[in-house]
């Protein structure tokens, strides 16, 4: 929570839950990445929060961008980014979208299987391709798991096919899982990447780049290591596995760049006790899983929730959203301590909600409008 956000919320006139995001925090985070990983270029993962003001700021700061779709490509170009600073990082793309991105000047694409290489070779001839290898996501709170990436042993064959198809086999990418708590999580993937560099070299294909992905955490309830520790651990692993021939590296932070820049203000709609004996209370907010808090699925991400009464005694509560859908419960397995004196109509602040919230909001399920965003 920054003074600017506090001031904005104090003067806000309209009703309903909203996200307020402070661009100064995004700017500070960008500089923190540049400092922690000084030889690594930043490609902002647009899906974390694609608001035009954020993209425009990052263009101005010199960031590059990781996009997953043609829509995100247009958004980044509209913010003033040159197409040579865009990486199309989704390994699952329609051929027509690859062709459209290529026509707009995008020249770098992620692939993780032979069929995707064939698509890129046809739709974006001569482009650079990065082969994504699989990571198991251990240590992360939001793993990206088995959906993406080939087994490292297969990457050399896939990159060789790319090379023979007239593409530039440019490097390796991976994602260690989002909200990664273990600063050493990059080590194993970098060992695999170095092995692929060697086997490709033996076949006369010289890779140049390692895309270190995202995974850098935002601070929620659980304490996280400092960005500096991630930078140091990654550099040590690069040295360990690549020796004096450290390749060009890029990172694709999403959560770590915008997560802590945003705060959601919401309101308590109802506090209910469901039996005379039970102490557990149900606290219903005017925001839930369908209005941006989708990352509470499995209670993975535990947001800090502040109230105006945090000095009062706290009792365990089940927190739920306002819709008539029973999956719309935020925290139940592990109840959330909230003040005894919390009352219907009170405002609550859900902190570190700058990433993966506003675009997860449904267009109007149950008649609730989508989450409003203010970028200040
Ligand atoms: C989502 C995503 C990211 C961003 O991950 P964070 O953990 O939010 O930093 C980076 N790269 C790719 C390919 C992604 O899909």
């Amino acid at each position: 929570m920054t003074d600017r956000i506090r001031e904005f919320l104090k003067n806000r006139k309209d009703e309903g839950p909203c996200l307020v995001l402070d661009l100064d925090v995004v700017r500070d985070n960008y500089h923190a990445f540049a400092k922690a990983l000084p030889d690594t270029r930043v490609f902002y993962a647009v899906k974390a929060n694609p608001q035009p003001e954020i993209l425009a700021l990052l263009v101005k700061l010199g960031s590059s961008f990781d996009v997953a779709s043609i829509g995100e490509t247009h958004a980044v170009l509209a913010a003033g980014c040159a197409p040579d600073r865009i990486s199309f990082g989704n390994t699952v793309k329609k051929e027509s979208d690859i062709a459209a991105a290529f026509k707009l000047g995008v020249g770098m694409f992620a692939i993780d299987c032979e069929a995707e290489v064939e698509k890129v070779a046809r739709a974006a001839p001569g482009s650079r391709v990065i082969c994504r290898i699989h990571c198991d996501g251990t240590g992360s709170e939001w793993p990206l798991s088995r959906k993406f990436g080939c087994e490292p042993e297969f990457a050399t064959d896939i990159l060789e096919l790319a090379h023979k198809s007239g593409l530039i086999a440019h490097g390796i990418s991976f994602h260690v899982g989002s909200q990664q708590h273990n600063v050493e999580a990059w080590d194993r993937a970098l060992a695999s990447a170095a092995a692929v560099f060697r086997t490709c070299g033996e076949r006369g294909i010289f890779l140049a780049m390692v895309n270190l992905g995202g995974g850098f955490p935002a601070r929620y309830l659980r304490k996280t290591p400092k960005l500096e520790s991630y930078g140091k651990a990654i550099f040590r692993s690069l040295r360990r596995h690549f020796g004096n021939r450290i390749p060009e590296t890029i990172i694709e932070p999403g959560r770590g760049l915008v997560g802590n820049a945003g705060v959601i203000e919401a309101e308590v709609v109802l506090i209910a006790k469901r039996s005379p004996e039970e102490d557990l209370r149900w606290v219903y907010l005017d925001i839930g899983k369908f209005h941006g808090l989708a990352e509470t699925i499995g209670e993975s991400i535990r947001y800090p929730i502040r109230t105006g009464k945090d000095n009062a005694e706290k009792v365990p509560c089940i927190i739920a959203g306002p819709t008539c859908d029973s999956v719309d419960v935020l925290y139940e397995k592990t109840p959330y301590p909230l003040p005894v004196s919390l009352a219907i109509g009170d405002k609550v602040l859900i902190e570190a909600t700058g990433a993966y919230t506003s675009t997860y909001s449904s267009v109007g399920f149950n008649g609730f409008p989508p989450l409003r965003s203010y970028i200040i």
Side-chain angles (χ1 to χ4, degrees):
M1 180 67 148
T2 65
D3 288 342
R4 270 156 48 87
I5 295 179
R6 197 170 291 120
E7 197 58 29
F8 179 88
L9 286 172
K10 212 168 70 190
N11 297 322
R12 176 181 172 228
K13 297 278 186 303
D14 47 7
E15 287 284 307
C18 71
L19 166 68
V20 189
L21 186 139
D22 186 342
L23 287 176
D24 285 351
V25 179
V26 180
R27 184 183 291 110
D28 290 348
N29 289 342
Y30 183 84
H31 291 311
F33 273 107
K35 195 157 163 237
L37 291 133
D39 299 318
T40 301
R41 274 167 74 200
V42 173
F43 281 62
Y44 173 54
V46 174
K47 76 173 185 294
N49 193 327
Q51 287 283 333
E53 299 90 336
I54 298 174
L55 302 180
L57 170 70
L58 289 171
V59 168
K60 216 172 63 193
L61 293 174
S63 183
S64 297
F65 295 85
D66 167 53
V67 302
S69 64
I70 275 294
E72 286 186 354
T73 308
H74 283 301
V76 169
L77 291 171
C81 181
D84 62 0
R85 278 161 58 187
I86 299 176
S87 160
F88 204 138
N90 191 344
T91 55
V92 184
K93 302 173 285 299
K94 284 191 177 166
E95 191 163 328
S96 56
D97 288 348
I98 299 170
F102 184 64
K103 214 167 139 199
L104 291 168
V106 177
M108 189 153 75
F109 297 86
I111 45 117
D112 64 1
C113 68
E114 291 177 346
E116 196 70 16
V117 168
E118 288 160 9
K119 280 194 229 166
V120 177
R122 283 191 299 266
S127 294
R128 285 171 295 167
V129 290
I130 309 281
C131 185
R132 180 155 171 182
I133 56 174
H134 167 72
C135 271
D136 67 7
T138 308
S140 76
E141 289 187 358
W142 196 258
L144 301 168
S145 78
R146 290 167 51 78
K147 183 167 173 184
F148 307 104
C150 64
E151 288 308 319
E153 307 81 67
F154 196 24
T156 306
D157 287 348
I158 292 170
L159 285 164
E160 186 173 30
L161 174 67
H163 179 72
K164 287 182 173 158
S165 311
L167 296 166
I168 300 168
H170 193 55
I172 293 291
S173 72
F174 54 82
H175 195 299
V176 296
S178 200
Q179 189 68 8
Q180 176 58 259
H181 282 264
N182 179 7
V183 301
E184 302 292 342
W186 282 256
D187 189 68
R188 230 173 64 198
L190 281 171
S192 303
V196 181
F197 269 61
R198 278 193 298 275
T199 49
C200 276
E202 286 159 12
R203 298 187 200 179
I205 300 163
F206 300 100
L207 304 180
M209 180 194 273
V210 175
N211 175 345
L212 302 158
F216 306 94
R219 175 71 203 274
Y220 300 112
L221 276 185
R222 188 173 156 198
K223 204 164 183 289
T224 55
K226 286 204 171 64
L227 196 52
E228 196 190 335
S229 318
Y230 287 86
K232 283 191 174 144
I234 288 171
F235 187 71
R236 275 198 307 273
S237 294
L238 282 165
R239 269 262 172 273
R240 185 175 307 135
H241 302 297
F242 288 91
N244 288 332
R245 303 164 92 179
I246 292 183
E248 181 190 349
T249 52
I250 65 172
I251 48 170
E252 298 174 331
R255 194 186 300 279
L257 207 42
V258 296
N260 69 338
V263 172
I264 287 173
E265 184 180 66
E267 188 179 309
V268 177
V269 180
L270 180 66
I271 300 178
K273 273 179 77 168
R274 288 298 160 65
S275 84
E277 301 84 47
E278 209 181 22
D279 281 337
L280 205 58
R281 300 162 165 217
W282 283 78
V283 174
Y284 297 89
L285 304 178
D286 60 356
I287 182 170
K289 276 210 162 59
F290 296 100
H291 305 103
L293 302 180
E295 285 198 319
T296 57
I297 291 171
E299 305 192 16
S300 309
I301 300 292
R302 222 167 153 78
Y303 295 107
I305 301 177
R306 312 263 173 243
T307 73
K309 299 170 172 169
D310 284 341
N311 292 329
E313 185 201 342
K314 291 192 178 163
V315 288
C317 298
I318 297 172
I319 305 181
T323 64
C324 299
D325 189 315
S326 57
V327 305
D328 191 12
V329 175
L330 306 180
Y331 302 115
E332 180 176 16
K333 271 190 313 207
T334 310
Y336 201 106
L338 289 174
V340 163
S341 49
L342 191 71
I344 292 170
D346 283 355
K347 293 277 198 272
V348 301
L349 295 172
I350 309 172
E351 297 196 321
T353 39
Y356 305 120
T357 50
S358 45
T359 48
Y360 277 162
S361 181
S362 67
V363 291
F365 173 52
N366 234 188
F368 294 97
L371 181 63
R372 208 186 320 234
S373 279
Y374 299 100
I375 312 297
I376 60 171

